[in-house]
Coordinates of all heavy atoms in Angstrom, one line a residue:
G219 N -2.2 -0.5 1.9 CA -2.8 -1.8 2.1 C -3.3 -2.5 0.8 O -3.1 -3.7 0.6
L220 N -3.8 -1.6 -0.1 CA -4.2 -2.2 -1.4 C -3.0 -2.7 -2.2 O -3.1 -3.7 -2.9 CB -4.9 -1.1 -2.2 CG -6.3 -0.7 -1.7 CD1 -6.9 0.5 -2.5 CD2 -7.3 -1.8 -1.8
A221 N -1.9 -2.0 -2.1 CA -0.7 -2.4 -2.8 C -0.2 -3.8 -2.2 O 0.2 -4.7 -3.0 CB 0.4 -1.4 -2.7
Y222 N -0.2 -3.9 -0.9 CA 0.3 -5.1 -0.3 C -0.8 -6.2 -0.6 O -0.3 -7.4 -0.9 CB 0.3 -5.0 1.2 CG 1.6 -4.3 1.7 CD1 1.5 -3.2 2.5 CD2 2.9 -4.8 1.3 CE1 2.7 -2.6 2.9 CE2 4.0 -4.1 1.8 CZ 3.9 -3.0 2.6 OH 5.1 -2.3 3.0
L223 N -2.0 -5.9 -0.7 CA -3.0 -7.0 -1.1 C -2.8 -7.4 -2.5 O -2.8 -8.6 -2.7 CB -4.4 -6.3 -0.9 CG -5.6 -7.1 -1.4 CD1 -5.7 -8.5 -0.7 CD2 -6.9 -6.4 -1.3
G224 N -2.6 -6.5 -3.4 CA -2.3 -6.8 -4.8 C -1.1 -7.7 -5.0 O -0.9 -8.5 -5.8
S225 N -0.1 -7.5 -4.0 CA 1.1 -8.2 -4.0 C 1.1 -9.6 -3.3 O 2.0 -10.2 -3.1 CB 2.3 -7.4 -3.5 OG 2.4 -6.1 -4.1
E226 N -0.2 -9.8 -2.7 CA -0.4 -11.1 -1.9 C 0.4 -11.1 -0.6 O 0.7 -12.1 -0.1 CB -0.2 -12.3 -2.8 CG -1.1 -12.4 -4.0 CD -1.0 -13.7 -4.7 OE1 -0.1 -14.6 -4.2 OE2 -1.6 -13.9 -5.8
K227 N 0.7 -9.9 -0.1 CA 1.3 -9.8 1.2 C 0.3 -9.5 2.3 O 0.1 -8.3 2.7 CB 2.4 -8.8 1.2 CG 3.6 -9.1 0.3 CD 4.6 -8.0 0.2 CE 5.7 -8.3 -0.7 NZ 6.8 -7.3 -0.8
Y228 N -0.5 -10.5 2.6 CA -1.7 -10.3 3.4 C -1.4 -9.8 4.8 O -2.3 -9.0 5.3 CB -2.5 -11.6 3.5 CG -2.9 -12.1 2.1 CD1 -2.9 -13.5 1.8 CD2 -3.4 -11.2 1.1 CE1 -3.3 -13.9 0.5 CE2 -3.7 -11.7 -0.2 CZ -3.7 -13.0 -0.4 OH -4.1 -13.5 -1.7
A229 N -0.4 -10.2 5.4 CA -0.1 -9.8 6.8 C 0.2 -8.3 6.8 O -0.4 -7.6 7.7 CB 1.1 -10.5 7.4
E230 N 1.0 -7.8 5.9 CA 1.3 -6.4 5.8 C 0.1 -5.6 5.5 O -0.1 -4.5 6.0 CB 2.4 -6.1 4.8 CG 3.8 -6.7 5.2 CD 4.0 -8.1 4.8 OE1 3.0 -8.8 4.5 OE2 5.1 -8.6 4.9
A231 N -0.7 -6.1 4.6 CA -1.9 -5.4 4.2 C -2.9 -5.3 5.3 O -3.5 -4.2 5.6 CB -2.6 -6.1 3.0
A232 N -3.0 -6.3 6.2 CA -3.9 -6.3 7.3 C -3.5 -5.2 8.3 O -4.3 -4.5 8.8 CB -3.9 -7.7 8.0
K233 N -2.2 -5.1 8.5 CA -1.7 -4.1 9.5 C -2.0 -2.7 9.0 O -2.4 -1.8 9.8 CB -0.2 -4.2 9.6 CG 0.2 -5.6 10.4 CD 1.8 -5.6 10.4 CE 2.2 -6.9 11.1 NZ 3.7 -7.1 11.1
C234 N -1.9 -2.5 7.6 CA -2.2 -1.1 7.1 C -3.7 -0.8 7.3 O -4.0 0.3 7.7 CB -1.8 -1.1 5.6 SG -0.1 -1.1 5.3
F235 N -4.6 -1.7 7.0 CA -6.0 -1.5 7.1 C -6.4 -1.3 8.6 O -7.3 -0.5 8.9 CB -6.8 -2.6 6.4 CG -6.7 -2.6 4.9 CD1 -6.2 -3.6 4.2 CD2 -7.0 -1.4 4.2 CE1 -6.1 -3.7 2.8 CE2 -6.9 -1.4 2.8 CZ -6.5 -2.6 2.1
L236 N -5.8 -2.1 9.4 CA -6.2 -2.0 10.9 C -5.7 -0.6 11.5 O -6.2 -0.2 12.5 CB -5.5 -3.1 11.6 CG -6.1 -4.5 11.3 CD1 -5.4 -5.6 12.1 CD2 -7.6 -4.6 11.5
D237 N -4.8 0.0 10.8 CA -4.3 1.3 11.3 C -4.7 2.5 10.4 O -4.0 3.5 10.3 CB -2.7 1.2 11.3 CG -2.1 2.3 12.1 OD1 -2.7 2.8 13.1 OD2 -0.9 2.7 11.8
A238 N -5.9 2.3 9.8 CA -6.4 3.4 8.9 C -6.9 4.6 9.5 O -7.2 5.6 8.8 CB -7.5 2.7 8.1
G239 N -7.1 4.6 10.8 CA -7.5 5.8 11.5 C -9.0 6.0 11.5 O -9.8 5.1 11.5
D240 N -9.5 7.3 11.4 CA -10.8 7.7 11.6 C -11.6 7.4 10.3 O -11.2 7.8 9.2 CB -11.0 9.2 11.8 CG -12.4 9.7 12.2 OD1 -13.2 8.8 12.2 OD2 -12.5 10.8 12.4
P241 N -12.7 6.6 10.4 CA -13.5 6.3 9.2 C -14.2 7.5 8.5 O -14.4 7.5 7.3 CB -14.6 5.3 9.7 CG -14.6 5.5 11.2 CD -13.3 6.0 11.6
I242 N -14.3 8.5 9.2 CA -14.9 9.8 8.6 C -13.9 10.4 7.7 O -14.2 10.8 6.6 CB -15.4 10.7 9.7 CG1 -16.5 10.1 10.6 CG2 -15.9 12.0 9.1 CD1 -16.9 10.9 11.7
M243 N -12.6 10.4 8.1 CA -11.6 10.9 7.3 C -11.4 10.0 6.1 O -11.1 10.4 5.0 CB -10.3 11.1 8.1 CG -10.3 12.1 9.3 SD -10.7 13.8 8.7 CE -9.2 14.0 7.7
C244 N -11.5 8.7 6.3 CA -11.2 7.8 5.3 C -12.3 7.9 4.2 O -11.9 7.7 3.0 CB -11.4 6.3 5.9 SG -11.1 5.0 4.7
Q245 N -13.5 8.3 4.5 CA -14.6 8.4 3.5 C -14.3 9.6 2.5 O -14.9 9.6 1.5 CB -15.9 8.6 4.2 CG -17.1 8.4 3.3 CD -17.2 7.0 2.7 OE1 -16.8 6.1 3.2 NE2 -17.8 7.0 1.4

Side-chain angles (χ1 to χ4, degrees):
L220 291 176
Y222 283 125
L223 173 60
S225 304
E226 298 185 2
K227 297 179 180 178
Y228 299 142
E230 292 86 347
K233 292 176 183 177
C234 289
F235 289 122
L236 294 177
D237 194 28
D240 187 1
I242 298 177
M243 298 296 297
C244 181
Q245 194 60 30

